[in-house]
């Protein structure tokens, strides 16, 4: 019988600029829908990212996944890509996708999903500010 | 095919006085069960409230729900009602209901449930102190 | 030559109800000056208290002051006195003194000052909320 | 019809030393797998522990479980056992079990599971650092 | 004799984009000195701002300064000016001044200094991230 | 005229084991004075370290000191030395000096003092736990 399932969490962060804008809308509609977040010159955030991996601890190591390995994966595939960047201008992922917190979490999920063993469930929590945050997938 | 489901969270707070007391019990029993929380002259807390809404991001906006709209709903229906109030004396909701953290979370859930589109799942997390908190409904 | 001076800090907390009201003023003036904090039925807070003691570490123990001793002093003279109390009704200190954060910090300073060796400097930091706090004496 | 189910949470903490080492492996393999965590002289952490109990609030008290009772149970069965201890040397639980965060959470779950009424679901969240934490069972 | 001096603190926040660049330097030197912070397309931060005011509590109100008044001053003169802005492009203050945390704190100090009664001492603490912050003037 | 003086702060952390014991005392006295902190098998902490540097911002860079440089200095001279170590057994500094928070802060101060330009004032804040912390030199 296998050991029980455990969730492990690793917290990282990155700082980025972004703006919210739908190119299919008029400037007026963008300003009305997105308010201050539509500022043409961008604004920015310190994003706190929590990556959750659910799985069975390895009986030999006692680890679900080595946190150093998980941290390096996040660094290579997520934070090096987004840290100190303008999400709209400097990244492929958000050239045609609005960098809302919801969309950033979904993008990060897919970036990591293909790098993490399919036996593990994966969940992303992203804090845009201390008071606005998202989780994907929802439970 | 719809976009995947995301949870969005908004954190607000309010400060209130309360006491725990069951009017069907003797003073002795109330003191024994509720201890310091039974103080006849009330005590108080800074309540931190996290409202979680699960749903599909709108493909046009990239939002599950506009956080400004959600924040305004919480302000109108919850924090304006409870902030700087005595929960036992100043509110209808806790005139005949003990304002335990559990009951406050349930009341807040119902206040918001009728204002938020039924397509969205709703969850309430309430911190009475940094070390005592509740979530409703439980998962 | 004595060892250099070090500041040591101990964080404690208490939960209390209060209201702000000046009995020499009309109800209208109290409402205008104190706003929601004037609510006749009280509201409340989780107060976080940080007590700072500056002194020379004892060469034998390496301690400025034993944190267990300091914590017990704070418990006996401050938090047991104010925790789960109505500051206006249940305490002598605030019967005729408005329990503003400023005044609570000054009162706590004097309660502890007479219990702590005069060779040590003392400072009080009091958080009424995460966003409103005070320090006494100011530096 | 019973009242709805609520999750209640109590946060406690303890400070302990530990090292990660698998006695069936060579020193080289232990150093390679566990890195700095394999240090023969131990290192340590401030562990933050959140115990979650899911259940129906008692209609008379408004409590799922009295937080004072829950806090006392955690103190008696967990924090008094592990606080200011060397997990590898001073505890029975980790004499032959690697004190990874995953294993500590599982051990704490079982210590509390037998003391808490089976009608309640139980979940353990353990922070080894602010950035590395685990939850058991995973959801 | 006047009442003793107390420090009061108000915490606010704003989100902004910025880049660090000295127009008198070559691109190479800017990249070498400012690293990722020199990104031509900007990056951003959630800035946490703590405004400290030292003064004598008014014997009638028990306040050094009304926190609502202080919060409104900060909103009018600081956060409305910088929130959701690109500091380099959208503000007069940083058109010719590098928006380092040091300079932002100094600018905020001067914006507030002329609005706050000279009898009060003023100090600014600015968190660019949880791990990098500044205070002006230094003590 | 030089620019005004600013304090800059960098937060780092390390995890270590330690015990408090005075070799000139009997076991009984050590147990009485240090209580649980005297455990012969060590316990441990997550230490949070805040290094404060006061100085004049360079007019060309807008920096008091480059935070990357400061962070690297702290890493090289402090956290690489103490992280995941047993302070009593693995370090020269605490072979004959009790690793109280007071003494650790003083040692860190001297390790950094000789690496940081004498024009800058230096201050160390060290959190042993969230509730026990020290600052050196005291102000």
């Amino acid at each position: 019988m296998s050991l029980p399932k455990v969730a492990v969490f690793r917290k990282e962060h990155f700082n980025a600029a972004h703006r919210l804008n739908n190119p299919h809308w008029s400037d007026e509609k963008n300003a009305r829908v997105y308010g201050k977040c539509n500022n043409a010159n961008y604004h920015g955030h310190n994003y706190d990212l929590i990556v959750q991996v659910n799985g069975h601890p390895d009986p030999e190591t006692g680890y679900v996944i080595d946190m150093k390995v998980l941290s390096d994966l996040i660094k290579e595939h997520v934070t090096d890509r987004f840290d100190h960047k303008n999400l709209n201008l400097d990244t492929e992922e958000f050239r045609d996708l609005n960098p809302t917190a919801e969309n950033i979490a979904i993008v990060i999920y897919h970036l990591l999903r293909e790098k993490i063993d399919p036996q593990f469930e994966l969940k992303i929590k992203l804090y845009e500010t201390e008071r606005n945050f998202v989780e994907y997938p929802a439970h």
Side-chain angles (χ1 to χ4, degrees), chain A:
Chain A
M1 205 196 72
S2 68
L3 282 172
K5 228 174 186 180
V6 180
V8 301
F9 302 82
R10 175 70 191 173
K11 185 179 175 188
E12 302 283 352
H13 64 274
F14 59 96
N15 310 315
H18 79 153
R19 82 178 284 215
L20 302 181
N21 189 66
N22 185 328
H24 305 108
W25 294 345
S26 66
D27 287 357
E28 289 70 23
K29 180 162 182 189
N30 271 303
R32 195 176 64 244
V33 172
Y34 291 124
K36 295 184 297 182
C37 299
N38 184 236
N39 178 8
N41 286 329
Y42 310 97
H43 64 285
H45 295 292
N46 303 335
Y47 291 95
D48 268 324
L49 167 66
I50 297 176
V51 175
Q52 175 183 349
V53 173
N54 292 5
H56 295 296
D58 178 302
E60 284 212 320
T61 61
Y63 284 161
V64 168
I65 184 174
D66 185 330
M67 285 303 215
K68 181 71 175 59
V69 170
L70 180 58
S71 174
D72 288 347
L73 275 175
I74 301 170
K75 186 171 161 40
E76 182 182 350
H77 300 288
V78 180
T79 56
D80 279 356
R81 191 183 295 251
F82 296 146
D83 188 33
H84 282 73
K85 296 290 171 59
N86 182 310
L87 297 178
N88 305 66
L89 300 181
D90 296 330
T91 76
E92 302 231 348
E93 289 78 8
F94 300 104
R95 195 146 302 159
D96 304 310
L97 180 67
N98 247 331
T100 59
E102 289 89 332
N103 283 338
I104 301 174
I106 293 169
V107 162
I108 291 174
Y109 176 86
H110 289 294
L111 288 171
L112 289 174
R113 182 63 282 180
E114 57 186 275
K115 304 297 174 186
I116 286 177
D117 190 328
Q119 71 168 300
F120 296 127
E121 292 155 18
L122 177 65
K123 197 170 291 187
I124 301 300
K125 196 163 197 172
L126 183 76
Y127 288 76
E128 192 174 83
T129 69
E130 198 192 4
R131 301 175 69 180
N132 288 341
F133 44 106
V134 303
E135 191 172 40
Y136 177 80
H139 63 268

